[in-house]
């Protein structure tokens, strides 16, 4: 672990974690995340950003951000990325830096749908929008690679479960940073890593779940992909920090997928914070993880 990463953990522990522990207003949280993302995660040069609409039967088009590298591989897959934020905050704009780096490294076009957020739009609005986005682009000749982080990682895996259940065309692969996969919070790391996690306060997780689920079944596989079926799914790449409260969400998800015959790569990074690739401008570990992921994506793109 580098000195920069240790300093980042300290900064997160004494600034971000107390804020997340106290924050109650979703609108304030959204403004805070947007400001923080602009500072911590800037996109690289050589990208084009366009707002597009993804067709939605019987409703207005679903807005999305499209990121196109200058050297885009037209014949390759499209990256469909679902941003994190506990289903309550976050946006394509706040993640254009992180996803922009993945797009530039792989040469692939990325699409980030602006899925509906809770509490204004509770479950199942987000998974419905994710499925809409996938249906709109799933016939792309080069195929689709799904991705997401935190709640967006859970959303990506929940979407993969829906794709398997509905018999839709499989994505080329799926990747997740620190995915939130179990709305029942049954993983031991929620308690075991509560103090060690430098950013996420475990005691706020039920509040986020209440805003999102609003009485729905937390074991619904669209909300908790740990309970989904994935027979026939393509390869999955997952990474998580060893001190995260979501460590067991990632670890058990990987085991569940492997038990169903899925090719899984699970990388547990020592002591790194929640979704550390967002800090690609600050710590070399983020650059290393992005390089590893991009190599995995490129290997799938060439199959």
């Amino acid at each position: 672990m580098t000195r920069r990463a240790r300093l980042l953990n300290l900064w997160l522990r004494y600034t971000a974690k107390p804020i997340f522990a106290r924050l109650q207003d979703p609108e304030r949280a959204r403004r805070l995340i947007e400001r923080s993302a602009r500072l911590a995660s800037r996109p690289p040069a050589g990208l084009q950003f366009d707002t597009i609409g993804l067709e939605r039967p019987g409703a207005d088009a679903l807005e999305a951000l499209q990121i196109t590298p200058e050297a885009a591989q037209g014949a390759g897959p499209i990256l469909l990325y679902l941003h994190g934020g506990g289903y309550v905050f976050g946006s394509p704009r706040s993640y254009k830096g992180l996803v922009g780096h993945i797009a530039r490294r792989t040469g692939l076009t990325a699409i980030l749908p602006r899925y509906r957020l809770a509490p204004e739009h509770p479950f199942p609005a987000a998974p419905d929008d994710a499925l809409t986005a996938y249906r709109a682009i799933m016939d792309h000749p080069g195929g689709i690679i799904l991705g997401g982080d935190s709640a967006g990682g859970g959303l990506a895996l929940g979407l993969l479960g829906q794709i398997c259940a509905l018999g839709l065309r499989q994505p080329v692969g799926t990747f997740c940073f620190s995915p939130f996969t179990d709305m029942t919070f049954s993983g031991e790391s929620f308690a075991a890593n509560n103090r060690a996690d430098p950013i996420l306060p475990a005691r706020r997780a039920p509040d986020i779940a209440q805003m999102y689920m609003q009485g729905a079944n937390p074991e619904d596989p669209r909300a908790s992909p740990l309970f989904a079926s994935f027979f026939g799914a393509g390869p999955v790449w997952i990474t998580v920090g060893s001190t995260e409260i979501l460590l067991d969400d990632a670890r058990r998800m990987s085991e569940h997928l492997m038990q169903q015959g899925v090719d899984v790569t699970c990388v547990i990074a020592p002591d790194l914070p929640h979704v550390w690739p967002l800090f690609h401008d600050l710590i070399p570990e983020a650059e290393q993880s992005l390089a590893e992921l991009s190599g995995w994506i490129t290997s799938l793109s060439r199959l």
Side-chain angles (χ1 to χ4, degrees), residues 214-239:
Q214 296 189 23
N217 181 6
E219 294 187 11
D220 188 306
R222 295 170 297 173
S224 297
L226 187 62
F227 303 107
S229 175
F230 295 97
F231 290 103
V236 175
W237 186 95
I238 294 173
T239 194

Side-chain angles (χ1 to χ4, degrees), residues 6-162:
R6 287 195 295 270
L7 290 173
L8 175 63
N9 276 345
L10 283 172
W11 180 79
L12 292 170
R13 180 176 303 282
Y14 291 108
T15 58
K17 191 170 186 176
I19 291 172
F20 282 125
R22 296 191 306 266
L23 206 56
Q24 299 288 337
D25 179 23
E27 279 301 327
R28 187 182 171 205
R30 291 165 188 165
R31 292 192 297 269
L32 175 64
I33 292 299
E34 292 294 332
R35 287 197 302 269
S36 301
R38 287 198 296 271
L39 294 173
S41 182
R42 293 169 294 181
L47 300 172
Q48 178 177 324
F49 298 92
D50 298 291
T51 299
I52 64 171
L54 301 173
E55 291 187 9
R56 180 162 43 185
D60 294 337
L62 177 64
E63 182 182 316
L65 177 66
Q66 180 171 289
I67 304 176
T68 308
E70 288 179 351
Q73 301 177 22
I78 290 175
L79 302 176
L80 179 62
Y81 193 90
L82 301 164
H83 68 78
Y87 302 104
V88 174
F89 45 86
S91 71
R93 179 184 176 188
S94 59
Y95 278 82
K96 69 180 185 179
L98 172 60
V99 183
H101 277 272
I102 299 171
R104 183 177 66 90
R105 286 173 177 272
T106 60
L108 301 179
T109 294
I111 292 176
L112 293 81
R114 185 178 292 277
Y115 64 84
R116 289 169 290 173
L117 299 175
E120 297 91 341
H121 304 283
F123 177 85
D128 285 351
D129 287 350
L131 182 58
T132 291
Y134 185 76
R135 286 185 184 274
I137 62 173
M138 67 179 181
D139 292 329
H140 175 69
I144 308 299
I145 291 179
L146 302 180
D149 66 280
S150 194
L155 195 55
L157 290 164
L159 173 58
L160 181 61
Q162 289 192 80

